[in-house]
Amino acid sequence: QVQLVESGGGLVHAGGSLRLSCAASGSIFSIEKKGWYREMAWYRQAPGKQRELVAEISSGGSINYGASVKGRFTISRDNAKNTVYLQMNSLKPEDTAVYYCNGDVYLDEYGGTWSGWGQGTQVTVSS
């Protein structure tokens, strides 16, 4: 089994910054030349709204951002720590949401994966 644990959320004023972390633990297998995951992503969900993609990073390092955060947020990883980060700069009140980590993590040498979500971390941006 695999667990994804987010941290780093909190209350910040508009224009401020936060860095979220998503640490994966459990039965993770690192495949040579592929790494420990196939795809990792950050999503967010504001009250009354659908969950939306914030940023994603493939095992090969390809990155994609949601339109509303492009240029302000940066996704990165530390493969030695099985951790993915989300650096959030120039935060706006509309960035207020619960931020969730989502991942496809390798379980074995054959490419079998576990797919799931973390518990979420609240980010609140005051105006």
Side-chain angles (χ1 to χ4, degrees):
Q1 192 60 279
V2 175
Q3 298 82 39
L4 299 177
V5 178
E6 301 101 332
S7 61
L11 173 65
V12 65
H13 290 299
S17 299
L18 283 174
R19 189 177 83 152
L20 305 182
S21 300
C22 173
S25 63
S27 303
I28 301 168
F29 191 92
S30 185
I31 299 177
E32 187 177 355
K33 298 183 181 179
K34 286 188 176 182
W36 57 277
Y37 70 91
R38 185 168 60 189
E39 190 84 22
M40 293 293 293
W42 286 96
Y43 286 76
R44 67 185 182 186
Q45 188 165 21
K49 295 188 177 181
Q50 289 188 328
R51 193 170 294 190
E52 65 172 350
L53 175 69
V54 176
E56 58 188 354
I57 182 168
S58 72
S59 61
S62 296
I63 291 173
N64 182 44
Y65 294 101
S68 61
V69 307
K70 201 172 293 186
R72 300 187 297 123
F73 291 10
T74 302
I75 190 170
S76 63
R77 63 190 177 181
D78 185 335
N79 290 331
K81 296 181 179 179
N82 292 347
T83 299
V84 175
Y85 303 97
L86 184 69
Q87 177 67 43
M88 305 185 295
N89 298 329
S90 302
L91 282 161
K92 305 174 182 179
E94 50 263 44
D95 294 318
T96 296
V98 178
Y99 284 70
Y100 296 92
C101 180
N102 174 265
D104 289 330
V105 178
Y106 288 121
L107 296 174
D108 55 52
E109 61 192 287
Y110 306 108
T113 58
W114 172 93
S115 297
W117 297 85
Q119 82 288 352
T121 185
Q122 177 69 47
V123 171
T124 302
V125 184
S126 63
S127 57

